[in-house]
Amino acid sequence: MKETLASSERTCDKNHKYIVCSQCAMQPICKPVQREQTSLNISDNYLSKRIDSSTNEVLFAQNQPLTAIYAVCSGAYKLTQCNRLNEEKIVGFRFPGELIGEDAIHPKAYAYNAIALNESSVCKVNIKELKACSQVVPDLQLSLIDLLTKQSAMSQSQFQSFIAKKTAESLIAAFILNIIQRKSVYDHQGGEVKLTISRDNIANFLGLRRETLSRIISKFQKERYIKQSGKQLSILNKNALIALANL
Amino acid sequence: MKETLASSERTCDKNHKYIVCSQCAMQPICKPVQREQTSLNISDNYLSKRIDSSTNEVLFAQNQPLTAIYAVCSGAYKLTQCNRLNEEKIVGFRFPGELIGEDAIHPKAYAYNAIALNESSVCKVNIKELKACSQVVPDLQLSLIDLLTKQSAMSQSQFQSFIAKKTAESLIAAFILNIIQRKSVYDHQGGEVKLTISRDNIANFLGLRRETLSRIISKFQKERYIKQSGKQLSILNKNALIALANL
DNA sequence: CGCAATTTTGACGTAGTTCAACACGTGTGG
DNA sequence: CCACACGTGTTGAACTACGTCAAAATTGCG
């Protein structure tokens, strides 16, 4: 877990795509600090620090006390919990531009493990420093409120698909739409994403068996709703998926 | 929908049980205002106004612009959405001491209808006034952050039961435990609640058929996990339910 | 290439749905 | 007062979607 200083300018080394700060979820927090930095002498790098994670590396673990919140810069992370028999249960995925751990602000401990799905990186914002800053920079608190409600709205919308679930088909349709929508925010090739999540991980998250997922994905392809070539997934008939998801 | 002024002292008219302010979810917001009221001349009643709803009355509707957030004082509310065929889908319940509509702060529009399940009442906090106050009372913003993260943690925990669902039994067990826990916060008769929600409403929320719910509730009674006499529901074997829920 | 990990396909079992009947209030009107 | 409708909850029998188990096919990596 290599720590480097964050910077507004992201370099794109080889095929590793970093999100730019202007599209980052942490922007409302970083921005006011930058604005005031001359008068307050708070450097750009004071609040935000970059961390690279390699595949399967744990960013933080469940029940650890909250020390920082994170924004994904590149790659992808899974959020997991363990039930009594140490079975892993995936409770969410996070992509570039999204936050991780912000929902630990109240309970003051992380509710899940955050694990990199592949070579990934985050911006880390120390919570103590954030609180200290928010005393000095009045805008920061309002930004934080905005940030929290925004992120909570996102979780809410995913909750809807689960609660609205009638069949496995509707759940999977909703999942595909959700992923496409979230990933297209930063790599804006509408209706097409590189699926970095394994079938097992998706099935685990959706509470389905890998076989069921596979069968329905096959069916969606036969019906020409979607097409997959390798890890690339494209939507051919978005309306059909929306109808199935029935949100 | 009768509006009256809120007051710290709740009177208990006949069998209508009001939550006291000290146990209300809105407390972090109301309290700092009260504290500062002498200096700022913000009356107790300025922020918080009481509203009574009769059975099936709509507090606010989906997609309406956000004007206020609410805290339940008495009774119970259901949160619903409509899919294309105007079928009602229940996405949550709210009991005394809990917030309604606070998750609309970011999207600036309510994500669901809020409907009283029976004679109920809420405290209404106008969002404009809240924002104005938060400029003057610095504590208020921090309280608001606390409030939002607290409430979001609650939603999160309910999300867990849905996502962790293996069988209808585990879902129903989790639901019963959740209800008991939330209701016992203010009417503290451990392990016993008056179930004001109809079977149809519960089944709708859980995404099950009323028949399935009925069968499993019957089974839980045969196994002596729970007992119901009329609307009264008591837990006989909490550990068994916890084991089933497997959270 | 060759092996392991991942994904897909098939056959069968089971949990939950669907449909239908019935039981129990509760309210309404004759 | 009874007759009837209507909402709500329970029970039974047949059907279906998803899970389970087993094996084949594909992918990815040293």
Side-chain angles (χ1 to χ4, degrees):
Chain A
M1 211 146 70
K2 195 183 54 165
E3 292 205 4
T4 56
L5 294 180
S7 124
S8 306
E9 308 273 327
R10 296 268 176 255
T11 50
C12 293
D13 57 337
K14 45 192 171 171
N15 47 11
H16 210 72
K17 215 190 300 179
Y18 290 105
I19 192 168
V20 293
C21 276
S22 66
Q23 291 184 312
C24 174
M26 209 71 96
Q27 183 68 348
I29 283 183
C30 293
K31 208 172 179 180
V33 175
Q34 280 176 253
R35 254 199 278 130
E36 309 270 347
Q37 77 186 80
T38 45
S39 55
L40 287 167
N41 201 19
I42 298 167
S43 96
D44 181 15
N45 302 321
Y46 177 62
L47 260 187
S48 185
K49 194 174 280 175
R50 182 123 111 249
I51 293 185
D52 292 316
S53 341
S54 46
T55 307
N56 290 324
E57 196 170 338
V58 177
L59 188 61
F60 57 76
Q62 188 173 6
N63 297 326
Q64 275 180 2
L66 166 80
T67 56
I69 62 178
Y70 302 84
V72 181
C73 299
S74 66
Y77 290 80
K78 65 177 173 184
L79 316 179
T80 73
Q81 295 177 330
C82 281
N83 62 6
R84 49 205 66 191
L85 250 150
N86 240 42
E87 293 168 328
E88 177 184 71
K89 170 67 203 182
I90 297 175
V91 298
F93 300 106
R94 290 293 180 271
F95 302 115
E98 300 178 344
L99 290 180
I100 309 181
E102 88 292 345
D103 45 359
I105 289 183
H106 174 71
K108 294 192 163 58
Y110 298 109
Y112 41 73
N113 312 293
I115 301 172
L117 284 174
N118 31 57
E119 299 299 305
S120 307
S121 60
V122 288
C123 271
K124 174 181 182 172
V125 173
N126 189 294
I127 198 72
K128 258 192 196 151
E129 290 166 3
L130 176 62
K131 279 196 174 157
C133 270
S134 79
Q135 308 282 31
V136 195
V137 186
D139 276 3
L140 200 51
Q141 281 184 28
L142 281 177
S143 302
L144 193 55
I145 291 175
D146 196 57
L147 189 67
L148 291 173
T149 51
K150 221 181 242 173
Q151 193 72 15
S152 128
M154 196 206 85
S155 317
Q156 194 66 18
S157 90
Q158 200 149 55
F159 180 60
Q160 305 307 342
S161 6
F162 273 93
I163 206 175
K165 167 201 173 170
K166 290 206 166 58
T167 63
E169 281 191 19
S170 67
L171 196 59
I172 294 169
F175 177 78
I176 294 174
L177 290 169
N178 180 268
I179 294 294
I180 290 275
Q181 184 240 314
R182 284 160 65 188
K183 295 208 102 181
S184 64
V185 168
Y186 73 105
D187 55 39
H188 22 294
Q189 344 163 24
E192 198 164 309
V193 283
K194 192 163 173 197
L195 229 291
T196 53
I197 318 175
S198 76
R199 288 292 210 280
D200 267 357
N201 278 336
I202 298 175
N204 181 319
F205 175 61
L206 294 178
L208 299 171
R209 296 283 115 180
R210 83 163 72 87
E211 295 94 327
T212 308
L213 178 63
S214 176
R215 274 184 253 269
I216 291 175
I217 295 280
S218 300
K219 190 184 166 196
F220 282 1
Q221 282 185 280
K222 270 189 211 109
E223 311 262 354
R224 309 233 148 260
Y225 297 160
I226 60 172
K227 185 167 78 90
Q228 56 176 351
S229 43
K231 292 261 158 234
Q232 205 70 18
L233 180 79
S234 3
I235 301 226
L236 302 179
N237 187 347
K238 191 168 179 176
N239 289 331
L241 290 180
I242 292 173
L244 272 176
N246 188 39
L247 296 178
Chain B
M1 212 144 71
K2 194 183 55 165
E3 292 205 4
T4 57
L5 294 181
S7 127
S8 307
E9 306 274 327
R10 298 267 176 258
T11 49
C12 295
D13 58 337
K14 46 194 168 170
N15 45 10
H16 211 68
K17 217 191 298 181
Y18 291 106
I19 192 168
V20 293
C21 276
S22 66
Q23 291 185 311
C24 175
M26 209 72 95
Q27 183 68 348
I29 284 183
C30 293
K31 209 172 178 180
V33 175
Q34 280 177 254
R35 254 199 278 128
E36 309 270 344
Q37 78 186 79
T38 44
S39 53
L40 288 165
N41 201 18
I42 297 167
S43 95
D44 180 13
N45 302 321
Y46 177 61
L47 260 186
S48 184
K49 196 173 278 178
R50 179 115 119 256
I51 293 184
D52 292 316
S53 340
S54 45
T55 307
N56 290 324
E57 196 169 340
V58 177
L59 189 60
F60 57 76
Q62 188 172 6
N63 297 326
Q64 274 182 3
L66 166 80
T67 56
I69 61 179
Y70 303 83
V72 181
C73 300
S74 65
Y77 289 79
K78 64 177 173 185
L79 316 180
T80 72
Q81 294 177 331
C82 282
N83 63 4
R84 47 206 65 191
L85 250 150
N86 239 42
E87 292 168 329
E88 176 183 72
K89 171 67 202 179
I90 297 174
V91 298
F93 299 105
R94 291 292 182 272
F95 302 115
E98 300 178 344
L99 289 180
I100 308 182
E102 87 292 344
D103 45 0
I105 288 182
H106 174 70
K108 293 190 163 62
Y110 298 109
Y112 42 74
N113 312 293
I115 302 173
L117 284 173
N118 31 58
E119 299 299 307
S120 307
S121 59
V122 288
C123 271
K124 174 181 183 173
V125 172
N126 189 294
I127 199 73
K128 259 192 195 152
E129 290 166 2
L130 176 61
K131 279 196 174 156
C133 269
S134 78
Q135 307 283 31
V136 196
V137 186
D139 276 3
L140 201 50
Q141 281 185 26
L142 282 177
S143 301
L144 194 53
I145 291 175
D146 196 58
L147 189 66
L148 292 173
T149 51
K150 220 182 243 173
Q151 194 71 16
S152 129
M154 195 205 86
S155 317
Q156 194 67 17
S157 89
Q158 199 149 56
F159 180 59
Q160 306 306 341
S161 9
F162 274 92
I163 206 175
K165 166 201 173 168
K166 290 208 165 58
T167 63
E169 279 191 19
S170 67
L171 196 60
I172 295 170
F175 177 78
I176 294 175
L177 290 170
N178 180 268
I179 294 293
I180 290 274
Q181 184 239 313
R182 285 160 65 189
K183 294 209 100 179
S184 64
V185 168
Y186 72 105
D187 55 41
H188 21 293
Q189 346 165 20
E192 198 164 310
V193 283
K194 193 165 176 192
L195 229 291
T196 53
I197 318 175
S198 75
R199 288 294 212 282
D200 268 355
N201 279 334
I202 297 175
N204 182 318
F205 174 62
L206 295 178
L208 299 170
R209 297 282 114 182
R210 86 160 73 88
E211 296 93 326
T212 309
L213 179 63
S214 175
R215 275 184 254 269
I216 291 176
I217 294 280
S218 298
K219 190 184 166 196
F220 282 1
Q221 282 185 281
K222 268 187 214 113
E223 311 265 352
R224 309 234 148 258
Y225 297 160
I226 59 172
K227 186 168 78 93
Q228 56 176 348
S229 42
K231 292 261 158 237
Q232 205 71 16
L233 180 79
S234 1
I235 300 224
L236 301 180
N237 187 347
K238 191 168 181 178
N239 288 332
L241 290 179
I242 291 172
L244 272 176
N246 188 38
L247 297 179

